[in-house]
Protein backbone atom coordinates (compact mmCIF):
# COMPACT_ATOMS: atom_id res chain seq x y z
CA UNK A 1 0.00 0.00 0.00
CA UNK A 2 1.25 3.48 -0.89
CA UNK A 3 2.00 5.58 2.15
CA UNK A 4 -0.36 8.38 1.04
CA UNK A 5 -3.79 7.19 2.24
CA UNK A 6 -5.96 10.30 1.59
CA UNK A 7 -7.96 8.92 -1.35
CA UNK A 8 -8.04 5.38 0.05
CA UNK A 9 -9.66 6.60 3.29
CA UNK A 10 -12.27 8.61 1.35
CA UNK A 11 -13.17 5.61 -0.84
CA UNK A 12 -13.15 2.98 1.91
CA UNK A 13 -15.08 4.88 4.54
CA UNK A 14 -17.46 7.62 3.34
CA UNK A 15 -18.80 9.54 6.34
CA UNK A 16 -20.91 12.36 4.82
CA UNK A 17 -24.21 10.64 5.73
CA UNK A 18 -23.40 10.88 9.47
CA UNK A 19 -24.23 13.89 11.64
CA UNK A 20 -21.24 13.43 13.90
CA UNK A 21 -18.51 10.86 14.49
CA UNK A 22 -16.34 9.98 17.49
CA UNK A 23 -12.61 9.99 16.80
CA UNK A 24 -10.16 8.24 19.15
CA UNK A 25 -6.71 9.81 19.57
CA UNK A 26 -3.86 7.75 21.02
CA UNK A 27 -0.84 9.79 19.89
CA UNK A 28 -0.47 13.39 18.81
CA UNK A 29 -4.27 13.68 18.71
CA UNK A 30 -4.19 13.57 22.52
CA UNK A 31 -2.15 16.77 22.86
CA UNK A 32 -2.54 18.53 19.49
CA UNK A 33 -6.15 19.38 18.65
CA UNK A 34 -5.97 21.64 15.61
CA UNK A 35 -9.62 20.98 14.69
CA UNK A 36 -13.03 21.93 16.08
CA UNK A 37 -14.99 19.38 18.09
CA UNK A 38 -18.45 19.15 19.64
CA UNK A 39 -17.43 17.17 22.73
CA UNK A 40 -14.37 15.42 24.15
CA UNK A 41 -13.94 12.62 26.73
CA UNK A 42 -11.08 10.43 27.92
CA UNK A 43 -11.63 6.95 26.52
CA UNK A 44 -9.89 3.63 25.94
CA UNK A 45 -9.90 0.83 23.41
CA UNK A 46 -9.23 -2.83 24.15
CA UNK A 47 -7.09 -5.27 22.16
CA UNK A 48 -4.61 -2.67 20.89
CA UNK A 49 -1.26 -1.32 22.10
CA UNK A 50 0.78 1.75 21.08
CA UNK A 51 4.10 1.13 19.33
CA UNK A 52 6.64 3.55 17.75
CA UNK A 53 6.78 1.38 14.65
CA UNK A 54 5.57 3.75 11.91
CA UNK A 55 7.81 5.98 9.81
CA UNK A 56 7.02 9.70 9.58
CA UNK A 57 8.01 11.34 6.30
CA UNK A 58 5.88 14.42 6.72
CA UNK A 59 5.73 15.50 10.38
CA UNK A 60 8.64 14.21 12.50
CA UNK A 61 11.02 13.26 9.71
CA UNK A 62 11.52 13.72 5.97
CA UNK A 63 11.23 11.36 2.97
CA UNK A 64 15.04 11.01 3.07
CA UNK A 65 15.19 10.45 6.84
CA UNK A 66 11.80 9.38 8.23
CA UNK A 67 11.18 9.76 11.96
CA UNK A 68 9.38 7.21 14.17
CA UNK A 69 5.81 7.74 15.33
CA UNK A 70 3.00 5.64 16.74
CA UNK A 71 0.72 3.07 15.33
CA UNK A 72 -1.48 0.52 17.09
CA UNK A 73 -0.67 -3.18 17.11
CA UNK A 74 -3.28 -5.82 17.88
CA UNK A 75 -2.66 -7.41 21.28
CA UNK A 76 -5.36 -9.51 22.90
CA UNK A 77 -6.08 -8.27 26.45
CA UNK A 78 -4.28 -4.93 25.97
CA UNK A 79 -5.85 -1.58 26.86
CA UNK A 80 -4.92 1.73 25.23
CA UNK A 81 -6.16 4.98 26.80
CA UNK A 82 -6.49 8.23 24.90
CA UNK A 83 -8.87 11.07 24.11
CA UNK A 84 -12.09 10.84 22.12
CA UNK A 85 -13.46 13.80 20.15
CA UNK A 86 -16.94 14.11 18.68
CA UNK A 87 -16.51 15.81 15.32
CA UNK A 88 -18.53 16.54 12.20
CA UNK A 89 -17.63 14.42 9.14
CA UNK A 90 -16.05 17.35 7.28
CA UNK A 91 -13.29 17.38 9.95
CA UNK A 92 -11.85 14.30 8.25
CA UNK A 93 -10.79 16.44 5.26
CA UNK A 94 -8.24 17.99 7.61
CA UNK A 95 -7.49 14.84 9.62
CA UNK A 96 -6.97 12.61 6.57
CA UNK A 97 -4.43 15.13 5.29
CA UNK A 98 -2.72 15.39 8.68
CA UNK A 99 -2.58 11.59 9.08
CA UNK A 100 -1.94 10.69 5.43
CA UNK A 101 1.36 8.88 5.94
CA UNK A 102 0.10 5.28 5.83
CA UNK A 103 -2.85 5.53 8.24
CA UNK A 104 -6.24 3.99 7.48
CA UNK A 105 -9.41 4.85 9.38
CA UNK A 106 -11.24 1.97 11.08
CA UNK A 107 -14.23 1.88 13.42
CA UNK A 108 -13.72 0.33 16.85
CA UNK A 109 -15.64 0.40 20.18
CA UNK A 110 -14.57 3.26 22.51
CA UNK A 111 -15.13 2.95 26.27
CA UNK A 112 -15.41 6.11 28.36
CA UNK A 113 -12.88 6.30 31.19
CA UNK A 114 -14.88 8.31 33.70
CA UNK A 115 -18.47 7.36 33.01
CA UNK A 116 -20.37 4.26 31.99
CA UNK A 117 -21.00 3.67 28.34
CA UNK A 118 -19.32 3.28 25.00
CA UNK A 119 -19.62 4.39 21.39
CA UNK A 120 -18.26 3.30 18.04
CA UNK A 121 -15.44 5.57 17.00
CA UNK A 122 -12.77 6.00 14.36
CA UNK A 123 -9.12 5.31 14.96
CA UNK A 124 -6.23 5.80 12.50
CA UNK A 125 -4.08 2.66 12.10
CA UNK A 126 -0.88 2.09 10.14
CA UNK A 127 -0.64 -1.61 9.29
CA UNK A 128 2.56 -3.47 8.31
CA UNK A 129 1.63 -3.46 4.61
CA UNK A 130 2.01 0.34 4.29
CA UNK A 131 5.14 1.67 2.60
CA UNK A 132 6.13 3.84 5.60
CA UNK A 133 5.99 0.99 8.16
CA UNK A 134 9.26 0.44 10.07
CA UNK A 135 8.32 -2.32 12.52
CA UNK A 136 9.88 -3.33 15.83
CA UNK A 137 13.28 -2.40 17.23
CA UNK A 138 14.73 -2.31 20.75
CA UNK A 139 13.80 0.59 23.05
CA UNK A 140 17.32 2.01 22.78
CA UNK A 141 17.31 1.77 18.96
CA UNK A 142 13.91 3.46 18.77
CA UNK A 143 15.06 6.21 21.13
CA UNK A 144 18.29 6.79 19.17
CA UNK A 145 16.33 7.00 15.92
CA UNK A 146 13.88 9.49 17.49
CA UNK A 147 16.69 11.57 19.04
CA UNK A 148 18.25 12.12 15.62
CA UNK A 149 15.03 12.82 13.65
CA UNK A 150 13.13 16.02 12.90
CA UNK A 151 10.61 17.18 10.33
CA UNK A 152 8.20 20.01 9.46
CA UNK A 153 6.26 19.54 12.73
CA UNK A 154 9.45 19.74 14.82
CA UNK A 155 11.86 17.38 16.58
CA UNK A 156 10.71 13.76 16.80
CA UNK A 157 11.67 13.82 20.50
CA UNK A 158 8.99 16.46 21.15
CA UNK A 159 6.32 13.99 19.94
CA UNK A 160 7.39 11.46 22.61
CA UNK A 161 7.89 13.97 25.44
CA UNK A 162 4.53 15.71 24.88
CA UNK A 163 2.70 12.40 24.66
CA UNK A 164 4.30 11.06 27.86
CA UNK A 165 3.41 14.33 29.63
CA UNK A 166 -0.20 14.16 28.39
CA UNK A 167 -0.56 10.53 29.52
CA UNK A 168 0.77 11.40 32.98
CA UNK A 169 -1.74 14.29 33.18
CA UNK A 170 -4.46 11.69 32.51
CA UNK A 171 -2.98 9.36 35.17
CA UNK A 172 -2.33 6.78 32.49
CA UNK A 173 0.72 4.51 32.40
CA UNK A 174 1.97 3.19 29.06
CA UNK A 175 5.12 1.14 29.57
CA UNK A 176 6.23 1.33 25.91
CA UNK A 177 5.89 5.13 25.75
CA UNK A 178 7.57 5.62 29.14
CA UNK A 179 10.42 3.21 28.28
CA UNK A 180 11.15 5.13 25.05
CA UNK A 181 10.93 8.42 26.97
CA UNK A 182 13.47 7.13 29.56
CA UNK A 183 15.92 6.04 26.83
CA UNK A 184 15.41 9.30 24.95
CA UNK A 185 16.10 11.45 28.02
CA UNK A 186 19.50 9.75 28.37
CA UNK A 187 20.37 10.96 24.84
CA UNK A 188 19.07 14.55 24.88
C1 LIG B 1 -3.56 9.56 17.11
O1 LIG B 1 -3.08 10.39 17.82
O2 LIG B 1 -4.58 8.97 17.41
C2 LIG B 1 -2.96 9.23 15.83
C3 LIG B 1 -1.73 8.63 15.81
C4 LIG B 1 -1.16 8.31 14.61
C5 LIG B 1 -1.84 8.63 13.44
C6 LIG B 1 -3.07 9.20 13.47
C7 LIG B 1 -3.64 9.51 14.67
Amino acid sequence: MSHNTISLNKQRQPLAHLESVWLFGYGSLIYKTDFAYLDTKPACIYGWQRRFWQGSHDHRGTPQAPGRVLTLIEAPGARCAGMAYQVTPDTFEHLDHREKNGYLRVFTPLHWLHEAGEAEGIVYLATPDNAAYLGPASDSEIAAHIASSAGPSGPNSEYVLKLAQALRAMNEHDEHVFAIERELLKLL
Side-chain angles (χ1 to χ4, degrees):
M1 193 214 309
S2 146
H3 63 71
N4 187 327
T5 46
I6 295 179
S7 55
L8 199 52
N9 274 318
K10 264 201 176 129
Q11 263 169 38
R12 276 168 37 105
Q13 197 186 61
L15 300 170
H17 60 291
L18 300 172
E19 234 167 68
S20 69
V21 187
W22 282 98
L23 163 73
F24 179 73
Y26 58 91
S28 62
L29 289 174
I30 297 182
Y31 62 81
K32 185 179 173 191
T33 46
D34 54 358
F35 52 89
Y37 50 85
L38 306 166
D39 195 4
T40 182
K41 299 181 195 195
C44 70
I45 57 177
Y46 291 106
W48 296 95
Q49 62 192 10
R50 274 178 271 258
R51 288 293 179 264
F52 286 97
W53 289 3
Q54 174 68 0
S56 175
H57 298 187
D58 53 349
H59 285 297
R60 301 295 180 168
T62 63
Q64 294 71 34
R68 262 193 188 259
V69 291
L70 286 175
T71 185
L72 290 176
I73 303 297
E74 264 189 291
R79 170 184 174 279
C80 174
M83 288 303 294
Y85 305 93
Q86 189 184 26
V87 297
T88 52
D90 56 299
T91 312
F92 287 90
E93 290 290 329
H94 167 66
L95 292 169
D96 285 354
H97 187 267
R98 169 173 160 177
E99 311 301 356
K100 65 183 179 305
N101 201 43
Y103 293 92
L104 292 177
R105 294 189 236 125
V106 298
F107 272 103
T108 193
L110 313 185
H111 304 265
W112 310 135
L113 287 190
H114 303 311
E115 61 188 84
E118 60 176 78
E120 281 289 299
I122 286 179
V123 62
Y124 282 94
L125 289 182
T127 51
D129 60 348
N130 88 85
Y133 189 76
L134 295 173
S138 69
D139 292 348
S140 57
E141 285 166 334
I142 291 177
H145 183 161
I146 289 172
S148 66
S149 300
S153 296
N156 202 168
S157 54
E158 183 185 57
Y159 178 99
V160 178
L161 301 179
K162 282 194 169 174
L163 175 66
Q165 199 176 24
L167 289 173
R168 277 193 198 94
M170 294 173 68
N171 274 323
E172 287 294 334
H173 186 90
D174 184 312
E175 191 42 42
H176 178 68
V177 174
F178 292 167
I180 303 299
E181 182 199 33
R182 273 195 304 276
E183 291 296 320
L184 190 56
L185 289 172
K186 292 182 198 166
L187 302 172
L188 296 180

